[in-house]
Amino acid sequence: TNSPVTVTVTGASGQISYGMLFRIAAGAMLGHDTPVRLRLLEIPAAIRSAEGVAMELDDGAYPLLSSIDITDDPRTAFDGSGVALLVGARPRTKGMERADLLAANGAIFTEHGTAINAVAAADVKVLVVGNPANTNAFIAMSNAPDVPRSRFTALTRLDHNRAIAQLSRKTGAPAADIAKVAVWGNHSATQYPDLFHATVAGRPALDVVNDEAWLTDDFISTVQQRGTAIIAARGSSSAASAASAAIDHIHDWTLGAPDWVSMAVCSDGSYGVPDGLISSFPVTCEAGDYTIVPDLEIGDFSRTRIDASVRELVDERAAVVELGFAAG
Ligand code: NAI
């Protein structure tokens, strides 16, 4: 058995956390030989509810769950944190302007980034789930100058998994036969799910599909709009699938993955994405590290779409710099 890892979850009383915590406790995220110390961070008004979740976690009698702490203090929550899942965020409510939303989240992710910088484990892995996820991760990273930039990531694995699901439906191939799917850019409606490198049972996916209109008119928008479609059908936002994707993200980053996955990570300038921007790329994962897949050929069709999503990220960055949450 490995030594226990401290896993901090913010927004612990929320829907995504409810879909995530029990699987983390069961070993689905860090493996079945790594005990977990859970630290649940919530705002004061939701502490009581977090206590209820903790009662249920107790009742799972999970052999790998060493301890559960609940707090409203980020310094306590991130103390010694090896994995930090930043799920809690301020949702957009009716009548709220975009600038208000950025300001509310800017304050939260400045506070959390500062605390991570001060007290987290030296090798902390940070995953931001709360929206706007890429820009929230950028803010946290900007406020944690002593933590390597590579440790700050945002969730686009849900979009990646959605792309696999659509390709699987279209071709009739099981998800396990699909490889080398990529999601580029922002976790927003501008994201670009890319099938030009994808394979189905080893064959080029677009040859197997053989339907150009499906790619341009159907696939991309279905993946981009999937969150909205789920809200329309279910009456509330995707929570279990987001939880599952967050677990996949940390699992693969920590333990490695046989295939490409998509992660929003700090750009090193690859593929023309400005250095320092948190943008989604196809990556490979091995032994606790990820690497942006190098040297892919990017045609005009993809280039236009990647650039549009990256432009949105550049604008979001400019807005939070303007508000004073990060240096320009
Ligand atoms: P939710 O509203 O059910 O839960 C959010 C929780 O965060 C609440 O319990 C709230 O009290 C807490 N919270 C707010 N501010 C906090 C703070 N400063 N510190 C600690 N906790 C705080 O929302 P849900 O459904 O769990 O979603 C969480 C976030 O994930 C949302 O921002 C949502 O937009 C985002 N999301 C991201 C996805 C992605 O793929 N990146 C997919 C789906 C949702």
Side-chain angles (χ1 to χ4, degrees):
T1 306
N2 300 323
S3 43
V5 173
T6 299
V7 176
T8 305
V9 179
T10 78
S13 304
Q15 292 306 307
I16 292 176
S17 294
Y18 197 69
M20 198 167 67
L21 286 165
F22 299 87
R23 292 188 56 209
I24 294 173
M29 185 172 79
L30 297 178
H32 296 278
D33 47 8
T34 302
V36 168
R37 286 189 289 251
L38 279 176
R39 293 269 173 72
L40 310 183
L41 180 69
E42 259 296 351
I43 55 174
I47 287 288
R48 178 93 180 104
S49 169
E51 286 167 357
V53 176
M55 288 161 71
E56 286 200 77
L57 283 162
D58 281 342
D59 294 348
Y62 296 103
L64 289 169
L65 186 54
S66 308
S67 60
I68 311 171
D69 295 296
I70 303 167
T71 179
D72 61 7
D73 172 26
R75 294 271 173 151
T76 307
F78 292 111
D79 188 21
S81 185
V83 173
L85 299 164
L86 276 51
V87 182
R90 178 75 159 78
R92 186 189 284 243
T93 40
K94 257 210 182 92
M96 197 177 192
E97 297 293 333
R98 188 183 126 89
D100 300 334
L101 182 74
L102 286 175
N105 281 300
I108 293 171
F109 287 87
T110 295
E111 190 186 24
H112 294 181
T114 303
I116 287 168
N117 195 56
V119 298
D123 62 350
V124 64
K125 289 178 164 69
V126 181
L127 169 61
V128 176
V129 177
N131 281 318
N134 299 53
T135 295
N136 287 340
F138 173 77
I139 294 168
M141 177 182 81
S142 300
N143 287 280
D146 304 325
V147 179
R149 301 193 310 177
S150 62
R151 302 271 159 194
F152 286 87
T153 67
L155 187 70
T156 53
R157 181 63 177 268
L158 179 56
D159 310 301
H160 178 99
N161 289 348
R162 286 167 171 169
I164 291 174
Q166 291 305 313
L167 185 56
S168 169
R169 279 190 73 131
K170 176 69 178 172
T171 59
D177 282 358
I178 292 171
K180 294 189 166 68
V181 163
V183 173
W184 302 87
N186 200 2
H187 170 70
S188 75
T190 68
Q191 65 173 270
Y192 172 52
D194 176 2
L195 295 184
F196 281 92
H197 315 281
T199 58
V200 176
R203 288 181 57 208
L206 295 180
D207 291 355
V208 177
V209 168
N210 195 23
D211 180 352
E212 204 173 309
W214 176 76
L215 176 71
T216 54
D217 304 339
D218 197 343
F219 168 75
I220 294 173
S221 59
T222 299
V223 174
Q224 288 171 335
Q225 300 297 331
R226 187 71 164 176
T228 308
I230 286 169
I231 290 173
R234 203 173 86 90
S236 55
S237 69
S238 40
S241 53
S244 184
I247 287 172
D248 288 347
H249 177 115
I250 295 291
H251 174 276
D252 290 351
W253 183 2
T254 305
L255 300 170
D259 178 28
W260 298 3
V261 294
S262 297
M263 293 170 64
V265 302
C266 185
S267 178
D268 57 1
S270 293
Y271 298 103
V273 181
D275 183 80
L277 215 56
I278 303 270
S279 187
S280 187
F281 293 95
V283 303
T284 52
C285 296
E286 206 187 331
D289 282 311
Y290 60 80
T291 308
I292 295 173
V293 177
D295 304 324
L296 293 172
E297 218 173 292
I298 307 293
D300 289 345
F301 183 91
S302 297
R303 186 78 265 168
T304 309
R305 287 164 177 78
I306 294 170
D307 287 351
S309 194
V310 168
R311 216 173 305 124
E312 183 182 53
L313 284 171
V314 169
D315 288 348
E316 287 183 13
R317 176 171 69 176
V320 298
V321 167
E322 168 107 19
L323 287 164
F325 294 117

